[in-house]
Amino acid sequence: MSLRDRLAREIALTGPMTVADYVARCLHDPEGGYYATRPAIGATGDFVTAPMISQMFGELIGLWAVELWQRLGAPERIRLVEVGPGDGTLMADALRAARLAPDFLAAVDLVLIEPSPPLRAAQARMLNDSDVHPRWVKDLNSVETDAPVILIANEVLDCLPARQFVKTEDGWAERRVGVTDAREGGGGLTFGLVRITGGFTRPVFEVEPGQTVEISDQQAAFGRDVATLVKAASGAALLIDYGRARPEAGDTLQALRRHRKVDPLETPGEADLTQWADFPTVQEAAVRAGADVTGTLGQGEFLRLLGIEARADRLKAGRPDAAPVIERQLARLTDDDQMGTLFKACAVFSPRSLVVPGFEE
């Protein structure tokens, strides 16, 4: 039985499903979830991430980690953690760039957090010949705190789903996934609204009737858990994702298949489903858990502060024939009309005296 049919039957029996629960099932259902069974990342798959666009992205993150290690006092042991490493490209490029600091590589304990068995296998292949061999743990709470932590999470928050609430002329309602014929459980999946009678904290910003507000308990929990880790161990976490830097309304649910947007309800488990990162929610949760946070920068600004333009110039000097391609890659990562402003970066850190590279004031 397909995931779609199983979801339709479950909804017919138990009632409409929240958007957050639907997205989680589509991504992580053990038998039919996208990441659990068929993640397709890359030019021939469903979507690409920044590390796949250019080696410059991962290289700069690697040098960022080296600089942070030095600002932490160059400890003899550092725990380098990546959450959601994709196919391992970012970490492979980061470790290659970090060869400039052999003492850093000698200090690294590389820890990866990845729920997808196919992606864990891809990461193992990608990092097989790297200077540091990885180990995998279940979640953030499984990361030891006996050494400072440098954590990287690129395009992780957008995989942590949000519930959706819609303001109507008659009050607030929750958007849920139902079926068109609940009596049989075999009807098509459809969105609908369920009136809220209580237990809903209204947003503090202005919302017009018809607008959608997204609330992600999972993103808040991620911010809390990251903060708990860096506070206990000391260190910093770099979060890069596409999303909002201020509280605002908006329906951001989308499904990507073969690099095109498709109906999120059309083929559950066969497309990548995402929602925007809510940086204010993540940062607030981190502060409440006792860590400090930086401001939020556009990805383009952050990468320029790390020196991506100088790195591009060096690559072009070494490969003049590839200069047009490198220019296009640079534009894709940093231009405002591409990834430069939609994608954002912030850091969660402890102790307060630590100055995180790229976020100096």
Side-chain angles (χ1 to χ4, degrees):
M1 182 182 295
S2 70
L3 177 59
R4 179 211 163 280
D5 290 342
R6 285 191 286 118
L7 289 173
R9 177 169 293 186
E10 180 178 328
I11 291 169
L13 291 172
T14 63
M17 180 178 289
T18 70
V19 169
D21 287 344
Y22 173 76
V23 171
R25 289 288 296 278
C26 288
L27 296 181
H28 302 297
D29 182 87
E31 298 178 14
Y34 180 80
Y35 283 111
T37 61
R38 57 175 74 83
I41 306 175
T44 60
D46 297 315
F47 64 96
V48 296
T49 60
M52 295 177 172
I53 292 170
S54 170
Q55 68 187 70
M56 294 185 289
F57 186 87
E59 289 172 345
L60 289 174
I61 299 304
L63 296 178
W64 174 88
V66 171
E67 175 64 21
L68 180 59
W69 169 71
Q70 292 172 340
R71 295 186 186 189
L72 287 165
E76 293 184 359
R77 197 68 171 159
I78 191 78
R79 193 150 283 121
L80 180 59
V81 181
E82 186 175 7
V83 185
D87 70 346
T89 296
L90 187 157
M91 187 54 65
D93 289 341
L95 293 174
R96 185 181 63 255
R99 288 175 179 168
L100 294 172
D103 289 346
F104 169 78
L105 289 176
V108 164
D109 171 27
L110 180 57
V111 178
L112 304 181
I113 300 175
E114 176 58 66
S116 167
L119 288 179
R120 284 200 299 270
Q123 293 153 20
R125 291 191 297 271
M126 181 68 71
L127 297 171
N128 183 60
D129 297 324
S130 67
D131 297 285
V132 181
H133 293 293
R135 60 187 177 94
W136 287 262
V137 299
K138 179 181 178 182
D139 52 31
L140 287 169
N141 296 323
S142 302
V143 178
E144 303 90 340
T145 58
D146 58 345
V149 166
I150 298 175
L151 185 145
I152 300 161
N154 179 61
E155 293 198 46
V156 171
L157 294 173
D158 64 273
C159 298
L160 303 177
R163 294 172 70 176
Q164 293 188 326
F165 299 91
V166 179
K167 186 174 184 180
T168 73
E169 297 289 351
D170 299 323
W172 285 92
E174 182 169 12
R175 191 184 190 203
R176 295 193 179 185
V177 179
V179 292
T180 55
D181 189 351
R183 293 172 301 175
E184 298 296 332
L189 298 176
T190 185
F191 286 117
L193 297 179
V194 176
R195 186 175 178 81
I196 297 173
T197 58
F200 171 63
T201 302
R202 288 163 174 74
V204 296
F205 52 90
E206 188 67 26
V207 182
E208 299 295 330
Q211 289 186 311
T212 299
V213 173
E214 296 181 331
I215 299 176
S216 177
D217 292 339
Q218 290 191 38
Q219 290 190 25
F222 185 83
R224 178 201 66 209
D225 291 346
V226 165
T228 299
L229 175 60
V230 300
K231 190 173 188 300
S234 78
L238 176 64
L239 314 180
I240 302 177
D241 223 309
Y242 60 95
R244 55 176 64 90
R246 65 179 185 273
E248 59 185 357
D251 172 9
T252 69
L253 177 64
Q254 70 171 10
L256 285 176
R257 191 176 187 189
R258 299 187 182 94
H259 301 274
R260 294 186 177 184
K261 292 183 179 181
V262 297
D263 184 344
L265 303 181
E266 184 178 356
T267 52
E270 297 181 22
D272 180 43
L273 270 62
T274 64
Q275 289 172 283
W276 275 15
D278 186 347
F279 283 96
T281 290
V282 173
Q283 292 166 320
E284 180 182 359
V287 169
R288 287 184 176 180
D292 283 281
V293 298
T294 66
T296 303
L297 300 177
Q299 177 177 285
E301 181 182 2
F302 178 67
L303 293 176
R304 290 188 188 98
L305 288 169
L306 294 187
I308 192 170
E309 291 168 328
R311 177 57 179 151
D313 288 342
R314 287 194 294 271
L315 288 174
K316 287 185 289 185
R319 286 283 310 277
D321 59 311
V325 173
I326 295 168
E327 276 296 320
R328 288 195 296 271
Q329 293 170 339
L330 177 64
R332 178 84 180 276
L333 292 173
T334 62
D335 281 4
D336 289 347
D337 60 351
Q338 298 198 50
M339 298 176 73
T341 54
L342 175 59
F343 282 72
K344 298 172 177 65
C346 78
V348 178
F349 65 96
S350 183
R352 179 167 294 181
S353 59
L354 179 63
V355 179
V356 181
F359 297 96
E360 296 92 342
E361 294 182 355

